[in-house]
Amino acid sequence: MAWIAPDVARGPRTDMACGEREMLADWLQRRRVYLLRKCSGLTAEQLRTASVEPSNLTLLGLLRHMTEVERFWFRTKYLHEDVPDLYCTDEHPDGDFDLLADADAEADHARFLAETAACDAAVAGRDLDEPVDDPKAPTGKLSLRWVYIHLLEEYAQHTGHADFIRERIDGSTGV
């Protein structure tokens, strides 16, 4: 039987008067769920379908890209962990989007879940204002708050793309 991306519950919202850390974590989790919901119910082939011409964007490519993005910003840039890219190489810098012909959608879906859980665990208990060295940042420093905000920006952009791709595949709209 062919694999189909599982459904995922939206989950409860946090208290809308909660602290900033809880709020940022909640918004990030909601964006992750929205992307997963755009994938839910689709086959691996549908997830690999570029459906908004002339773009080559696919839902699987977006899922792989966000796996790379979270890994890079939380673990490589903020925590300075020495973790390799998952899909991108020097030869294929956009491998997350481009190398889909032989991609295993089920494994990539599982990798997204595992990586986002690893990122959450890696920064648990860290202060949003805790700076780390980043020679490419204008001030030479990077805060966890900035990483959260940047990830929310990335998800906002790419879940917008996912809306159009999914609607084109099967007419599904909403989250």
Side-chain angles (χ1 to χ4, degrees), residues 85-102:
D85 288 338
L86 298 169
Y87 307 107
C88 302
T89 65
D90 289 338
E91 186 177 278
H92 298 285
D94 293 321
D96 46 358
F97 291 119
D98 296 340
L99 301 177
L100 298 178
D102 297 323

Side-chain angles (χ1 to χ4, degrees), residues 20 32 48 52-53 56 61 101-102 126 128 130 142 152 157 163 166 168 175:
E20 183 182 17
R32 291 167 175 166
R48 285 191 288 270
V52 183
E53 296 174 0
N56 71 339
D102 297 323
R126 295 209 178 240
L128 290 174
E130 182 182 338
L142 174 69
L152 290 171
Q157 177 183 11
D163 285 337
R166 178 63 190 252
R168 205 44 210 245
V175 291

Side-chain angles (χ1 to χ4, degrees), residues 26-41:
D26 178 60
W27 278 103
L28 179 58
Q29 182 56 31
R30 293 178 70 73
R31 297 311 93 172
R32 291 167 175 166
V33 166
Y34 290 170
L35 181 57
L36 289 169
R37 287 180 66 86
K38 289 297 168 185
C39 297
S40 70

Side-chain angles (χ1 to χ4, degrees), residues 32-98:
R32 291 167 175 166
V33 166
Y34 290 170
L35 181 57
L36 289 169
R37 287 180 66 86
K38 289 297 168 185
C39 297
S40 70
L42 297 179
T43 65
E45 190 59 38
Q46 288 172 309
L47 291 172
R48 285 191 288 270
T49 301
S51 60
V52 183
E53 296 174 0
S55 174
N56 71 339
L57 284 180
T58 66
L59 290 170
L60 184 58
L62 290 172
L63 192 67
R64 289 161 52 111
H65 177 67
M66 291 311 301
T67 304
E68 287 273 28
V69 167
E70 290 220 25
R71 182 180 183 94
F72 176 77
W73 283 104
F74 278 126
R75 297 179 61 197
T76 303
K77 286 292 268 186
Y78 186 73
L79 295 172
H80 300 290
E81 290 183 12
D82 185 19
V83 291
D85 288 338
L86 298 169
Y87 307 107
C88 302
T89 65
D90 289 338
E91 186 177 278
H92 298 285
D94 293 321
D96 46 358
F97 291 119
D98 296 340

Side-chain angles (χ1 to χ4, degrees), residues 101-151:
D102 297 323
D104 181 338
E106 183 176 9
D108 291 339
H109 187 278
R111 187 173 287 127
F112 174 83
L113 296 174
E115 188 61 39
T116 56
C119 289
D120 287 344
V123 298
R126 295 209 178 240
D127 188 280
L128 290 174
D129 292 319
E130 182 182 338
V132 297
D133 292 330
D134 182 356
K136 293 185 179 181
T139 63
K141 298 288 182 188
L142 174 69
S143 74
L144 184 55
R145 177 181 287 105
W146 191 96
V147 172
Y148 271 103
I149 297 297
H150 178 66
L151 285 170

